[in-house]
Amino acid sequence: MISKDTCLAILDAIVHPVVFVDNTHVIRYLNAPARKRYYDQRGYSELIGKSLFDCHNPASKKQILSIHARL
């Protein structure tokens, strides 16, 4: 069985930003490239526990909801 720390290390090793969001659209995890992009480059503060829609415009929200419905 893989440990939680190993899983997190694997996710952080991915070169692309990865954001996990639950079914209520709350951000639960950002890997290292996502933290760099959203915290360092875009200036967001702590996003974990916040709604995905807090950092998206209405057009993006509509698209996200559409994709979520298809999943």
Side-chain angles (χ1 to χ4, degrees), residues 13-61:
I14 297 170
V15 298
H16 301 286
V18 175
V19 179
F20 287 135
V21 180
D22 67 19
N23 280 328
T24 63
H25 313 291
V26 174
I27 299 168
R28 298 298 176 189
Y29 172 79
L30 293 95
N31 72 343
R35 290 188 303 271
K36 180 177 176 120
R37 173 181 283 180
Y38 298 116
Y39 296 157
D40 299 343
Q41 296 172 356
R42 295 196 179 172
Y44 287 104
S45 59
E46 185 60 41
L47 293 173
I48 304 295
K50 293 185 180 176
S51 172
L52 181 64
F53 302 126
D54 288 347
C55 54
H56 286 85
N57 64 40
S60 293
K61 179 180 178 179

